[in-house]
Amino acid sequence: MVQAEMISAMEFQALSQKHNVSGVPQTTINDGAANVVGAVPESNMVTELKRITGK
Amino acid sequence: MAELLNADVVKQIEDAFAPMKEAVHIMYFGQKENCDYCADTQKLLEEVAVISEKLSLEIYDLDKDADLAKKFNVDKAPGIVITAKDGKTISDYGVRYAGIPSGHEFTSLIQDILLVAGRDSGLMQETRDFLKELTEPVLLQVFATPT
């Protein structure tokens, strides 16, 4: 149910621009439903996913 | 083309791969045109794959193998899927790379291979419980630069 894609921001600039990547790492969830810059501790990731999915 | 990994790095990866429990299968998707890093990425994976007998690698083309790419949600080249292999069964653990895994991302690649080899995410029980409740697919895209 979860897919995680590590993206080289330099190689895929159009996609990086679409998601306004300015600092790395940036984690973009569900095509922009949420964007988190910097490291994402596991509990923070769960909090974000709960907010997005409404679970 | 010269080797991308020097002997010291190969030795380090050998040591890292030594405790690999189960087999890992890497699917690589390249593209003939407009892919600056495809050749290097393929070569890098070929050099990594020969380091452990528990690792296998299959080379695909994003255009020629479009059906397979679609099945595995690969839409970028170079694209890498790290899967678990048990006998002839390939299990998708949702781990993808888009672009060459160099610099810090190379370390991530090796760690992801080990993670899939262990067949365990290492996540907390409450996280696992939450993820089990998901009814819609979640896509996490982590943008990084190879420094």
Side-chain angles (χ1 to χ4, degrees):
Chain A
M1 204 55 97
V2 181
Q3 183 176 317
E5 186 179 36
M6 272 46 73
I7 300 173
S8 168
M10 290 198 317
E11 284 173 67
F12 301 98
Q13 292 188 359
L15 190 64
S16 303
Q17 277 166 15
K18 180 187 166 192
H19 294 299
N20 296 311
V21 176
S22 52
V24 289
Q26 174 175 312
T27 302
T28 294
I29 308 173
N30 286 358
D31 203 31
N35 291 300
V36 188
V37 180
V40 191
E42 188 177 331
S43 55
N44 294 25
M45 178 65 82
V46 172
T47 304
E48 283 296 325
L49 290 177
K50 280 182 177 167
R51 189 175 63 77
I52 293 167
T53 58
K55 296 234 174 234
Chain B
M1 206 189 307
E3 300 294 306
L4 295 172
L5 303 175
N6 66 39
D8 285 346
V9 174
V10 170
K11 180 75 180 67
Q12 282 178 39
I13 301 170
E14 249 173 31
D15 292 345
F17 282 170
M20 264 180 83
K21 287 192 193 124
E22 308 290 342
V24 172
H25 181 64
I26 301 174
M27 300 166 70
Y28 163 83
F29 289 85
Q31 201 164 30
K32 284 268 186 296
E33 286 169 25
N34 300 319
C35 188
D36 293 344
Y37 292 91
C38 276
D40 279 348
T41 303
Q42 181 176 334
K43 180 149 173 54
L44 185 65
L45 291 175
E46 284 168 347
E47 289 183 26
V48 169
V50 295
I51 296 176
S52 171
E53 287 183 346
K54 289 215 156 63
L55 262 184
S56 54
L57 169 70
E58 194 72 48
I59 308 293
Y60 297 104
D61 182 277
L62 195 61
D63 298 312
K64 278 188 205 156
D65 303 299
D67 290 347
L68 192 71
K70 196 176 177 208
K71 185 183 167 194
F72 282 90
N73 290 332
V74 176
D75 58 2
K76 302 175 194 70
I80 302 165
V81 186
I82 302 174
T83 69
K85 191 176 184 187
D86 298 285
K88 284 183 178 172
T89 308
I90 300 288
S91 305
D92 186 1
Y93 276 48
V95 182
R96 307 279 185 279
Y97 280 77
I100 188 165
S102 62
H104 281 311
E105 267 39 72
F106 185 66
T107 309
S108 304
L109 177 83
I110 300 300
Q111 286 170 350
D112 278 343
I113 290 170
L114 290 169
L115 204 64
V116 174
R119 305 289 194 264
D120 191 293
S121 65
L123 293 172
M124 293 184 290
Q125 189 55 47
E126 53 189 288
T127 305
R128 294 171 196 244
D129 292 342
F130 163 71
L131 293 175
K132 272 186 203 152
E133 301 294 310
L134 290 176
T135 48
E136 300 288 329
V138 169
L139 175 64
L140 305 174
Q141 291 178 304
V142 182
F143 292 88
T145 48
T147 47

